[in-house]
Amino acid sequence: MCGIAGIVAMSATAPPPSREALLRMVGALAHRGPDERGLYRDRRAGLAHARLSVVDLLHGQQPLADVSGLTWIVFNGEIFNYVELRDKLIALGHRFRTRSDTEVVLHAYQAWGEAAFERMNGQWAVAIWDSAAGRLMLSRDRYGICPLYYCEHAGRVFFASEVKAIFAAETAIPRAFDPAGIDQTFTFWTVIPPQSVFEGVKELQPGHIRLYEGGVARETAFWEPHYPRISGSDPEWFTGSCDDAVEAVRGALEAATALRMVQADVPVGCYLSGGLDSSLVAALGRRFAGERFQTFSLRFADAEYDETYFQRLVAAATASEHHEVVISRRDIAAVFPEVVYHAERPILRTAPAPLFLLSKLVRERGIKVVLTGEGADEMFAGYDLFREGKVRRFWGRQPASSRRARLLERLYPYLSRSPVHQQAMARQFFGRDLHACDMPGFAHDTRWRTTSAIKRLFCPDMRGASQHRNAVSELLTPLPAEFSRWSFLAQDQYLEIRTLMSGYLLSSQGDRMLMAHSVEGRFPYLDDDVVALANSLPDAYKLRVLDEKHVLKRAAQPIVPPQVVARTKQPYRAPNALSFVDHDAPDYIREALSDTALRAANVFDPKSVAILLGKCRSNAGDGDLSNSDNMALVGVLSTQILHQQFIASRPGGADKAKLRIDVDHERRERVLA
């Protein structure tokens, strides 16, 4: 993984990119690529690259040109099937100068055009500049593992792995919150690309290609999630037995893990939460790690969140060199501004903060690449949300049934303030809109409704902007044509992937916290073959009555300790608002939530925030904070910090560090400029 950036004039009359602007952009991405930096410039385009060297350590420098020197690429990510693609390209007559997957991407695009990305199994953000044709191509992987933003300003396109690099390029680029992005965040926990939280800045949609040529932009999808139709005999359904599916899933995951272990010229470690997903990846990864295999775990000072027993159980079973970091509320508060700076968006949970500290530990132990278990819950129906949707739809068929409503008691057993502990309240909360049980988004509406309640804190201007929008309708209107022909579980999975997985789990909790310390994450559960297999499985293989991830549990049984397979699911969580209301909380919290700062940001009403803060402080002694208050305080605080960091302070990125590979590219500047 690396950091990429660039500036391209959309017309011949726009000014060429300056070397200083590119240096500021790549400087702002130094955390993503500490090993090397490189530049390319001509009359219309400039590309910049900050490298984290993982594959072809000696010859993988970027920007990289083709043999003609006319087409250039900057690439962030990994193509795990690049050896196979390279062989096919050689058979077509292509010749390679490096062993890097970057060069394979460049040749693949030249050979197959936009269809090249359909052939790639991996995670990427890429920009290719064809100087002869005056064409810029941007592409992003299927699930948005690698970030990529763009901004069209004053006749030029600015693009980068992170927004801070775009802001560093040009002080004239406006810096303001986009009300639509704020509204989405306080509905879905995240923005939905191409929307971002900053005005004028867009995020390239996962699975999309964006082309600029002749001053015109064109965007197309090369992939989107797909599931078999429930009506008729769709040939895409997996037709084997559940036993067959268990073997197929285990085999696909083993192959995916092997690819992610061996396609690296540096050691690969593994995150280990103590849950089923990461434990299975660790057990499989151990087979391909050689003599030394390092695992990394979070522990918590608060017992409610701690999973030490299961983590150590798996570490012992895999004979790994195990590392731990213990996280307290004070630790979360101390690093929270850094977390927001790297997330570049408001966050409604503190969960990214411990992962920020875990990636720091990984880097300190000399590891650049880790496997994680992200994606398993989305692909194999592991969340309580999927079970909740199934229960509520079952209840919705007979709304008067008290027996069906009792099934709610089987949800959210890990929450100290579970919404199902009080039956009357649970029936009122989950029983709303049961008549809409066949409608898109039904399983998600309780979460979206709870999150949207935070908008009561908006100031009049933001509330007015929010009232003219309906984020849920905007999400559900452009659904795939086949959506209504999928099963309800497939519909729920699609929406979960489109919202929380891509924008939050893989971004705020994933790439951003990993790359803050120059660590690349790899995700076996998001391998193309694993995803295609999981999507083809009958619902009952994934969610068997209310047994989540049924087929995955069975696939794990021979190689994961039985205590882990049998344990009740406990999603990864961390202390939230309680981290910020102790008597010795850092001074930045008081400053960020001050009347002056709130009025300057103009997102939240100062009086409403003061009431919320007082309520959280008064209830902090017994830890009795509601889910809504927890989200609200974290969301308000992170938004205020974001405003100070990216809007009020107008960040730069001037980093004049010597560019190791700039000499040859400088010569090219003199020829073309």
Side-chain angles (χ1 to χ4, degrees):
M1 303 284 268
C2 306
I4 66 172
I7 306 170
V8 175
M10 288 191 283
S11 68
T13 59
S18 72
R19 175 183 172 84
E20 290 71 23
L22 293 168
L23 281 171
R24 289 194 299 271
M25 295 181 84
V26 78
L29 300 173
H31 52 282
R32 297 188 69 90
D35 296 333
E36 293 177 316
R37 303 184 199 177
L39 296 183
Y40 163 79
R41 281 199 310 151
D42 59 32
R43 291 192 199 94
R44 286 186 56 188
L47 307 179
H49 188 262
R51 186 186 185 201
L52 178 66
S53 51
V54 172
V55 175
D56 196 3
L57 306 185
L58 295 179
H59 305 104
Q61 292 86 2
Q62 299 183 47
L64 178 73
D66 66 357
V67 176
S68 72
L70 297 176
T71 304
W72 292 79
I73 183 173
V74 282
F75 174 73
N76 167 33
E78 308 290 348
I79 306 300
F80 298 114
N81 65 333
Y82 82 96
V83 174
E84 171 191 339
L85 293 176
R86 191 175 189 269
D87 290 342
K88 291 181 179 179
L89 289 163
I90 290 173
L92 293 175
H94 292 254
R95 296 295 176 261
F96 291 84
R97 294 168 291 161
T98 74
R99 294 188 300 106
S100 70
D101 52 353
T102 302
E103 191 177 9
V104 171
V105 174
L106 181 57
H107 282 269
Y109 181 67
Q110 291 176 323
W112 300 310
E114 297 175 31
F117 298 100
E118 301 172 15
R119 300 170 179 253
M120 296 178 190
N121 183 356
Q123 51 197 65
W124 67 83
V126 60
I128 296 176
W129 168 244
D130 184 336
S131 62
R135 182 190 305 119
L136 172 68
M137 190 283 305
L138 305 176
S139 174
R140 194 176 181 205
D141 66 70
R142 294 165 174 79
Y143 292 104
I145 295 171
C146 297
L148 186 56
Y149 294 87
Y150 61 93
C151 172
E152 298 166 7
H153 175 74
R156 298 192 291 179
V157 180
F158 299 78
F159 66 87
S161 296
E162 298 183 12
V163 177
K164 58 179 67 69
I166 293 175
F167 285 165
E170 179 67 65
T171 58
I173 292 176
R175 290 157 172 77
F177 283 141
D178 189 324
I182 296 295
D183 185 64
Q184 283 188 356
T185 301
F186 287 92
T187 304
F188 307 121
W189 289 27
T190 182
V191 288
I192 312 298
Q195 184 66 54
S196 84
V197 296
F198 297 106
E199 238 175 49
V201 177
K202 300 297 184 183
E203 185 175 3
L204 185 62
Q205 298 181 68
H208 276 62
I209 296 166
R210 188 171 181 84
L211 282 168
Y212 289 91
E213 188 172 10
V216 177
R218 172 174 65 85
E219 187 166 323
T220 57
F222 66 85
W223 181 89
E224 63 180 24
H226 178 74
Y227 303 87
R229 292 171 294 180
I230 55 173
S231 58
S233 55
D234 194 320
E236 294 187 8
W237 282 111
F238 182 88
T239 57
S241 67
C242 192
D243 289 340
D244 295 332
V246 168
E247 294 301 318
V249 167
R250 188 186 301 122
L253 275 173
E254 182 171 6
T257 304
L259 270 178
R260 285 153 181 79
M261 289 294 297
V262 303
Q263 297 293 16
D265 295 330
V266 296
V268 179
C270 188
Y271 275 0
L272 186 55
S273 71
L276 174 72
D277 309 334
S278 64
S279 298
L280 179 53
V281 167
L284 293 172
R286 184 67 186 90
R287 298 177 178 180
F288 309 99
E291 294 183 3
R292 190 182 186 195
F293 183 53
Q294 298 190 62
T295 52
F296 300 86
S297 292
L298 286 170
R299 297 177 56 198
F300 286 96
D302 291 77
E304 178 183 350
Y305 310 100
D306 195 59
E307 300 180 69
T308 301
Y309 168 76
F310 298 101
Q311 293 163 356
R312 291 180 175 176
L313 197 67
V314 178
T318 57
S320 68
E321 183 179 320
H322 191 56
H323 309 280
E324 302 170 339
V325 58
V326 181
I327 307 297
S328 68
R329 298 175 187 175
R330 184 174 299 181
D331 295 326
I332 291 172
V335 301
F336 198 64
E338 292 180 84
V339 168
V340 174
Y341 176 75
H342 287 287
E344 296 189 326
R345 62 187 64 187
I347 50 179
L348 279 65
R349 287 281 191 256
T350 63
L355 290 167
F356 173 87
L357 292 168
L358 184 61
S359 71
K360 181 174 184 288
L361 173 66
V362 170
R363 188 65 187 193
E364 289 171 348
R365 294 298 182 269
I367 295 293
K368 289 184 177 182
V369 182
V370 291
L371 305 179
T372 90
E374 294 292 359
D377 287 314
E378 290 80 6
M379 299 308 147
F380 293 96
Y383 289 129
D384 262 309
L385 178 141
F386 300 130
R387 304 201 306 158
E388 176 191 320
K390 188 171 185 177
V391 169
R392 291 181 65 224
R393 288 188 178 102
F394 182 63
W395 182 17
R397 301 289 183 263
Q398 295 183 20
S401 171
S402 59
R403 180 175 298 179
R404 294 190 176 201
R406 290 291 301 271
L407 290 171
L408 295 170
E409 298 171 17
R410 298 177 61 177
L411 304 176
Y412 307 104
Y414 50 86
L415 292 178
S416 59
R417 286 178 58 103
S418 173
V420 301
H421 284 172
Q422 299 182 27
Q423 289 187 21
M425 185 179 298
R427 293 189 185 195
Q428 180 181 12
F429 180 76
F430 291 108
R432 290 181 59 178
D433 300 325
L434 289 180
H435 64 279
C437 60
D438 293 342
M439 298 299 292
F442 174 76
H444 294 75
D445 66 4
T446 53
R447 181 203 289 163
W448 295 342
R449 191 166 61 238
T450 299
T451 307
S452 295
I454 303 173
K455 297 176 190 177
R456 72 187 186 279
L457 302 175
F458 281 175
C459 69
D461 288 347
M462 188 60 68
R463 190 181 303 116
S466 177
Q467 287 173 347
H468 292 294
R469 312 188 62 87
N470 187 323
V472 172
S473 293
E474 290 170 1
L475 172 69
L476 298 180
T477 298
L479 291 172
E482 294 287 301
F483 186 88
S484 63
R485 300 183 181 183
W486 298 340
S487 71
F488 288 132
L489 179 61
Q491 293 179 13
D492 296 343
Q493 288 178 280
Y494 171 87
L495 289 173
E496 190 70 0
I497 290 166
R498 182 91 192 278
T499 56
L500 199 71
M501 187 186 83
S502 178
Y504 178 73
L505 294 175
L506 295 178
S507 179
S508 297
Q509 278 190 198
D511 171 88
R512 300 312 189 84
M513 297 305 106
L514 287 156
M515 292 303 290
H517 296 289
S518 309
V519 177
E520 174 184 303
R522 295 184 174 183
F523 309 88
Y525 291 104
L526 297 181
D527 179 89
D528 283 2
D529 292 338
V530 173
V531 171
L533 174 61
N535 289 356
S536 74
L537 295 177
D539 290 355
Y541 290 7
K542 293 179 281 190
L543 185 59
R544 196 176 188 90
V545 189
L546 292 181
D547 181 30
E548 78 281 357
K549 292 188 294 197
H550 177 79
V551 69
L552 195 63
K553 290 176 182 176
R554 290 184 55 187
Q557 283 175 349
I559 51 178
V560 172
Q563 300 95 319
V564 174
V565 177
R567 68 176 295 206
T568 301
K569 179 176 175 58
Q570 179 176 326
Y572 164 64
R573 299 178 300 128
N576 287 298
L578 292 175
S579 302
F580 307 114
V581 295
D582 288 342
H583 67 279
D584 59 348
D587 290 340
Y588 77 80
I589 298 172
R590 182 182 66 255
E591 296 168 3
L593 300 181
S594 69
D595 187 272
T596 301
L598 287 161
R599 292 188 186 281
N602 202 34
V603 176
F604 301 103
D605 174 61
K607 291 183 179 179
S608 300
V609 172
I611 293 171
L612 170 67
L613 185 59
K615 181 181 178 183
C616 290
R617 284 173 173 165
S618 65
N619 293 336
D622 56 10
D624 191 25
L625 299 183
S626 69
N627 180 49
S628 178
D629 289 343
N630 264 307
M631 283 197 301
L633 186 61
V634 176
V636 170
L637 179 60
S638 62
T639 304
Q640 288 298 115
I641 293 171
L642 191 69
H643 179 268
Q644 195 282 325
Q645 291 174 336
F646 285 85
I647 297 174
S649 65
R650 303 184 68 81
D655 186 336
K656 303 276 185 170
K658 179 176 175 58
L659 299 178
R660 177 173 167 182
I661 65 170
D662 200 33
V663 176
D664 289 341
H665 298 166
E666 282 285 275
R667 184 179 300 115
R668 183 151 194 82
E669 287 183 49
R670 287 196 292 272
V671 172
L672 296 180

